[in-house]
PDB file of all heavy atoms in Angstrom:
ATOM      1  N   GLY O1467       0.834  -1.210  -0.010  1.00 68.00           N
ATOM      2  CA  GLY O1467      -0.019   0.000   0.018  1.00 68.00           C
ATOM      3  C   GLY O1467       0.875   1.280   0.004  1.00 68.00           C
ATOM      4  O   GLY O1467       2.062   1.189   0.244  1.00 68.00           O
ATOM      5  N   GLU O1468       0.258   2.353  -0.285  1.00 60.00           N
ATOM      6  CA  GLU O1468       0.945   3.613  -0.210  1.00 60.00           C
ATOM      7  C   GLU O1468       1.179   3.984   1.267  1.00 60.00           C
ATOM      8  O   GLU O1468       0.690   3.303   2.153  1.00 60.00           O
ATOM      9  CB  GLU O1468       0.174   4.727  -0.975  1.00 60.00           C
ATOM     10  CG  GLU O1468      -0.060   4.427  -2.437  1.00 60.00           C
ATOM     11  CD  GLU O1468      -0.841   5.536  -3.087  1.00 60.00           C
ATOM     12  OE1 GLU O1468      -1.204   6.477  -2.407  1.00 60.00           O
ATOM     13  OE2 GLU O1468      -1.050   5.409  -4.349  1.00 60.00           O
ATOM     14  N   SER O1469       1.827   5.069   1.489  1.00 61.00           N
ATOM     15  CA  SER O1469       2.063   5.561   2.836  1.00 61.00           C
ATOM     16  C   SER O1469       0.711   5.770   3.553  1.00 61.00           C
ATOM     17  O   SER O1469      -0.160   6.434   2.981  1.00 61.00           O
ATOM     18  CB  SER O1469       2.851   6.838   2.801  1.00 61.00           C
ATOM     19  OG  SER O1469       3.016   7.337   4.135  1.00 61.00           O
ATOM     20  N   ILE O1470       0.563   5.121   4.684  1.00 68.00           N
ATOM     21  CA  ILE O1470      -0.696   5.092   5.398  1.00 68.00           C
ATOM     22  C   ILE O1470      -0.589   5.964   6.670  1.00 68.00           C
ATOM     23  O   ILE O1470       0.355   5.738   7.437  1.00 68.00           O
ATOM     24  CB  ILE O1470      -1.135   3.673   5.764  1.00 68.00           C
ATOM     25  CG1 ILE O1470      -1.267   2.864   4.436  1.00 68.00           C
ATOM     26  CG2 ILE O1470      -2.439   3.631   6.530  1.00 68.00           C
ATOM     27  CD1 ILE O1470      -1.498   1.385   4.730  1.00 68.00           C
ATOM     28  N   SER O1471      -1.499   6.827   6.913  1.00 70.00           N
ATOM     29  CA  SER O1471      -1.454   7.634   8.120  1.00 70.00           C
ATOM     30  C   SER O1471      -2.452   7.083   9.073  1.00 70.00           C
ATOM     31  O   SER O1471      -3.331   6.236   8.782  1.00 70.00           O
ATOM     32  CB  SER O1471      -1.803   9.111   7.759  1.00 70.00           C
ATOM     33  OG  SER O1471      -3.143   9.229   7.444  1.00 70.00           O
ATOM     34  N   TYR O1472      -2.420   7.550  10.345  1.00 71.00           N
ATOM     35  CA  TYR O1472      -3.402   7.155  11.324  1.00 71.00           C
ATOM     36  C   TYR O1472      -4.757   7.607  10.948  1.00 71.00           C
ATOM     37  O   TYR O1472      -5.783   6.927  11.328  1.00 71.00           O
ATOM     38  CB  TYR O1472      -3.005   7.758  12.693  1.00 71.00           C
ATOM     39  CG  TYR O1472      -1.809   7.080  13.273  1.00 71.00           C
ATOM     40  CD1 TYR O1472      -0.677   7.799  13.631  1.00 71.00           C
ATOM     41  CD2 TYR O1472      -1.779   5.716  13.573  1.00 71.00           C
ATOM     42  CE1 TYR O1472       0.438   7.188  14.165  1.00 71.00           C
ATOM     43  CE2 TYR O1472      -0.708   5.067  14.140  1.00 71.00           C
ATOM     44  CZ  TYR O1472       0.401   5.851  14.435  1.00 71.00           C
ATOM     45  OH  TYR O1472       1.525   5.238  14.973  1.00 71.00           O
ATOM     46  N   THR O1473      -4.914   8.706  10.165  1.00 71.00           N
ATOM     47  CA  THR O1473      -6.245   9.092   9.701  1.00 71.00           C
ATOM     48  C   THR O1473      -6.857   8.013   8.833  1.00 71.00           C
ATOM     49  O   THR O1473      -8.103   7.788   8.892  1.00 71.00           O
ATOM     50  CB  THR O1473      -6.128  10.392   8.867  1.00 71.00           C
ATOM     51  OG1 THR O1473      -5.530  11.408   9.681  1.00 71.00           O
ATOM     52  CG2 THR O1473      -7.491  10.875   8.424  1.00 71.00           C
ATOM     53  N   ASP O1474      -6.050   7.333   8.033  1.00 76.00           N
ATOM     54  CA  ASP O1474      -6.619   6.274   7.146  1.00 76.00           C
ATOM     55  C   ASP O1474      -7.123   5.101   8.012  1.00 76.00           C
ATOM     56  O   ASP O1474      -8.162   4.504   7.677  1.00 76.00           O
ATOM     57  CB  ASP O1474      -5.536   5.745   6.213  1.00 76.00           C
ATOM     58  CG  ASP O1474      -5.076   6.824   5.277  1.00 76.00           C
ATOM     59  OD1 ASP O1474      -5.871   7.630   4.787  1.00 76.00           O
ATOM     60  OD2 ASP O1474      -3.807   6.941   5.047  1.00 76.00           O
ATOM     61  N   ILE O1475      -6.407   4.770   9.094  1.00 79.00           N
ATOM     62  CA  ILE O1475      -6.747   3.570   9.842  1.00 79.00           C
ATOM     63  C   ILE O1475      -7.818   3.857  10.860  1.00 79.00           C
ATOM     64  O   ILE O1475      -8.780   3.072  10.982  1.00 79.00           O
ATOM     65  CB  ILE O1475      -5.465   3.035  10.582  1.00 79.00           C
ATOM     66  CG1 ILE O1475      -4.400   2.697   9.577  1.00 79.00           C
ATOM     67  CG2 ILE O1475      -5.844   1.858  11.464  1.00 79.00           C
ATOM     68  CD1 ILE O1475      -3.063   2.359  10.264  1.00 79.00           C
ATOM     69  N   PHE O1476      -7.701   4.939  11.602  1.00 75.00           N
ATOM     70  CA  PHE O1476      -8.581   5.206  12.702  1.00 75.00           C
ATOM     71  C   PHE O1476      -9.792   6.074  12.236  1.00 75.00           C
ATOM     72  O   PHE O1476      -9.889   7.259  12.483  1.00 75.00           O
ATOM     73  CB  PHE O1476      -7.898   5.890  13.875  1.00 75.00           C
ATOM     74  CG  PHE O1476      -6.718   5.082  14.375  1.00 75.00           C
ATOM     75  CD1 PHE O1476      -5.471   5.654  14.516  1.00 75.00           C
ATOM     76  CD2 PHE O1476      -6.872   3.769  14.663  1.00 75.00           C
ATOM     77  CE1 PHE O1476      -4.381   4.960  14.988  1.00 75.00           C
ATOM     78  CE2 PHE O1476      -5.781   3.013  15.117  1.00 75.00           C
ATOM     79  CZ  PHE O1476      -4.556   3.618  15.261  1.00 75.00           C
ATOM     80  N   SER O1477     -10.613   5.413  11.457  1.00 70.00           N
ATOM     81  CA  SER O1477     -11.779   6.057  10.874  1.00 70.00           C
ATOM     82  C   SER O1477     -12.798   5.008  10.598  1.00 70.00           C
ATOM     83  O   SER O1477     -12.508   3.862  10.189  1.00 70.00           O
ATOM     84  CB  SER O1477     -11.404   6.773   9.565  1.00 70.00           C
ATOM     85  OG  SER O1477     -12.559   7.271   8.956  1.00 70.00           O
ATOM     86  N   GLU O1478     -14.097   5.373  10.784  1.00 66.00           N
ATOM     87  CA  GLU O1478     -15.135   4.435  10.426  1.00 66.00           C
ATOM     88  C   GLU O1478     -15.567   4.594   8.980  1.00 66.00           C
ATOM     89  O   GLU O1478     -16.468   3.881   8.500  1.00 66.00           O
ATOM     90  CB  GLU O1478     -16.344   4.640  11.381  1.00 66.00           C
ATOM     91  CG  GLU O1478     -16.079   4.149  12.804  1.00 66.00           C
ATOM     92  CD  GLU O1478     -17.288   4.072  13.647  1.00 66.00           C
ATOM     93  OE1 GLU O1478     -17.786   5.147  14.106  1.00 66.00           O
ATOM     94  OE2 GLU O1478     -17.775   2.945  13.867  1.00 66.00           O
ATOM     95  N   GLN O1479     -15.077   5.653   8.378  1.00 65.00           N
ATOM     96  CA  GLN O1479     -15.381   5.906   6.973  1.00 65.00           C
ATOM     97  C   GLN O1479     -14.282   5.380   6.067  1.00 65.00           C
ATOM     98  O   GLN O1479     -13.198   5.184   6.503  1.00 65.00           O
ATOM     99  CB  GLN O1479     -15.537   7.432   6.787  1.00 65.00           C
ATOM    100  CG  GLN O1479     -16.595   8.065   7.748  1.00 65.00           C
ATOM    101  CD  GLN O1479     -17.967   7.498   7.581  1.00 65.00           C
ATOM    102  OE1 GLN O1479     -18.382   7.221   6.473  1.00 65.00           O
ATOM    103  NE2 GLN O1479     -18.643   7.343   8.678  1.00 65.00           N
ATOM    104  N   GLY O1480     -14.577   5.247   4.855  1.00 67.00           N
ATOM    105  CA  GLY O1480     -13.568   4.874   3.860  1.00 67.00           C
ATOM    106  C   GLY O1480     -13.304   3.395   3.793  1.00 67.00           C
ATOM    107  O   GLY O1480     -13.740   2.585   4.575  1.00 67.00           O
ATOM    108  N   PRO O1481     -12.573   3.010   2.738  1.00 77.00           N
ATOM    109  CA  PRO O1481     -12.268   1.618   2.488  1.00 77.00           C
ATOM    110  C   PRO O1481     -11.243   1.014   3.476  1.00 77.00           C
ATOM    111  O   PRO O1481     -10.568   1.779   4.096  1.00 77.00           O
ATOM    112  CB  PRO O1481     -11.743   1.611   1.040  1.00 77.00           C
ATOM    113  CG  PRO O1481     -11.101   2.953   0.941  1.00 77.00           C
ATOM    114  CD  PRO O1481     -11.937   3.907   1.699  1.00 77.00           C
ATOM    115  N   VAL O1482     -11.169  -0.295   3.468  1.00 84.00           N
ATOM    116  CA  VAL O1482     -10.101  -0.949   4.238  1.00 84.00           C
ATOM    117  C   VAL O1482      -8.780  -0.558   3.590  1.00 84.00           C
ATOM    118  O   VAL O1482      -8.657  -0.492   2.376  1.00 84.00           O
ATOM    119  CB  VAL O1482     -10.300  -2.516   4.140  1.00 84.00           C
ATOM    120  CG1 VAL O1482      -9.081  -3.216   4.720  1.00 84.00           C
ATOM    121  CG2 VAL O1482     -11.562  -2.912   4.824  1.00 84.00           C
ATOM    122  N   VAL O1483      -7.761  -0.322   4.427  1.00 84.00           N
ATOM    123  CA  VAL O1483      -6.430   0.098   3.956  1.00 84.00           C
ATOM    124  C   VAL O1483      -5.551  -1.059   3.769  1.00 84.00           C
ATOM    125  O   VAL O1483      -5.750  -2.126   4.407  1.00 84.00           O
ATOM    126  CB  VAL O1483      -5.810   1.138   4.869  1.00 84.00           C
ATOM    127  CG1 VAL O1483      -6.664   2.375   5.031  1.00 84.00           C
ATOM    128  CG2 VAL O1483      -5.543   0.510   6.274  1.00 84.00           C
ATOM    129  N   LEU O1484      -4.555  -0.941   2.908  1.00 87.00           N
ATOM    130  CA  LEU O1484      -3.547  -1.990   2.685  1.00 87.00           C
ATOM    131  C   LEU O1484      -2.279  -1.639   3.402  1.00 87.00           C
ATOM    132  O   LEU O1484      -1.851  -0.505   3.439  1.00 87.00           O
ATOM    133  CB  LEU O1484      -3.284  -2.159   1.172  1.00 87.00           C
ATOM    134  CG  LEU O1484      -4.427  -2.598   0.313  1.00 87.00           C
ATOM    135  CD1 LEU O1484      -4.010  -2.707  -1.151  1.00 87.00           C
ATOM    136  CD2 LEU O1484      -5.013  -3.948   0.787  1.00 87.00           C
ATOM    137  N   GLY O1485      -1.649  -2.673   3.995  1.00 87.00           N
ATOM    138  CA  GLY O1485      -0.390  -2.436   4.636  1.00 87.00           C
ATOM    139  C   GLY O1485       0.374  -3.697   4.925  1.00 87.00           C
ATOM    140  O   GLY O1485      -0.273  -4.803   5.043  1.00 87.00           O
ATOM    141  N   GLN O1486       1.644  -3.602   5.147  1.00 90.00           N
ATOM    142  CA  GLN O1486       2.429  -4.786   5.503  1.00 90.00           C
ATOM    143  C   GLN O1486       2.524  -4.871   7.051  1.00 90.00           C
ATOM    144  O   GLN O1486       1.886  -4.086   7.748  1.00 90.00           O
ATOM    145  CB  GLN O1486       3.785  -4.695   4.795  1.00 90.00           C
ATOM    146  CG  GLN O1486       3.644  -4.880   3.296  1.00 90.00           C
ATOM    147  CD  GLN O1486       5.035  -4.837   2.650  1.00 90.00           C
ATOM    148  OE1 GLN O1486       5.853  -4.000   2.893  1.00 90.00           O
ATOM    149  NE2 GLN O1486       5.235  -5.760   1.673  1.00 90.00           N
ATOM    150  N   CYS O1487       3.365  -5.776   7.544  1.00 93.00           N
ATOM    151  CA  CYS O1487       3.445  -6.003   8.973  1.00 93.00           C
ATOM    152  C   CYS O1487       3.723  -4.768   9.794  1.00 93.00           C
ATOM    153  O   CYS O1487       3.172  -4.610  10.894  1.00 93.00           O
ATOM    154  CB  CYS O1487       4.460  -7.092   9.287  1.00 93.00           C
ATOM    155  SG  CYS O1487       6.142  -6.736   8.747  1.00 93.00           S
ATOM    156  N   GLY O1488       4.571  -3.863   9.298  1.00 91.00           N
ATOM    157  CA  GLY O1488       4.877  -2.633  10.051  1.00 91.00           C
ATOM    158  C   GLY O1488       3.694  -1.773  10.327  1.00 91.00           C
ATOM    159  O   GLY O1488       3.614  -1.110  11.390  1.00 91.00           O
ATOM    160  N   VAL O1489       2.731  -1.792   9.396  1.00 90.00           N
ATOM    161  CA  VAL O1489       1.492  -0.980   9.606  1.00 90.00           C
ATOM    162  C   VAL O1489       0.641  -1.604  10.724  1.00 90.00           C
ATOM    163  O   VAL O1489       0.176  -0.912  11.617  1.00 90.00           O
ATOM    164  CB  VAL O1489       0.649  -0.936   8.274  1.00 90.00           C
ATOM    165  CG1 VAL O1489      -0.710  -0.264   8.536  1.00 90.00           C
ATOM    166  CG2 VAL O1489       1.458  -0.152   7.215  1.00 90.00           C
ATOM    167  N   TYR O1490       0.464  -2.935  10.673  1.00 93.00           N
ATOM    168  CA  TYR O1490      -0.248  -3.581  11.747  1.00 93.00           C
ATOM    169  C   TYR O1490       0.409  -3.325  13.105  1.00 93.00           C
ATOM    170  O   TYR O1490      -0.257  -3.025  14.093  1.00 93.00           O
ATOM    171  CB  TYR O1490      -0.277  -5.101  11.510  1.00 93.00           C
ATOM    172  CG  TYR O1490      -1.162  -5.604  10.363  1.00 93.00           C
ATOM    173  CD1 TYR O1490      -0.683  -5.752   9.100  1.00 93.00           C
ATOM    174  CD2 TYR O1490      -2.497  -5.951  10.608  1.00 93.00           C
ATOM    175  CE1 TYR O1490      -1.416  -6.233   8.049  1.00 93.00           C
ATOM    176  CE2 TYR O1490      -3.271  -6.429   9.604  1.00 93.00           C
ATOM    177  CZ  TYR O1490      -2.772  -6.554   8.279  1.00 93.00           C
ATOM    178  OH  TYR O1490      -3.540  -7.056   7.298  1.00 93.00           O
TER     179      TYR O1490
END
């Protein structure tokens, strides 16, 4: 996935984000 911010993850809106182990 592209660079993911906390805004992308901590939201009830928007699609599921893609990330590797470091994001999790």
Side-chain angles (χ1 to χ4, degrees):
E1468 298 180 0
S1469 178
I1470 300 172
S1471 72
Y1472 288 121
T1473 301
D1474 299 319
I1475 300 172
F1476 303 130
S1477 171
E1478 290 192 284
Q1479 306 299 321
V1482 171
V1483 299
L1484 297 179
Q1486 294 182 313
C1487 58
V1489 173
Y1490 288 92

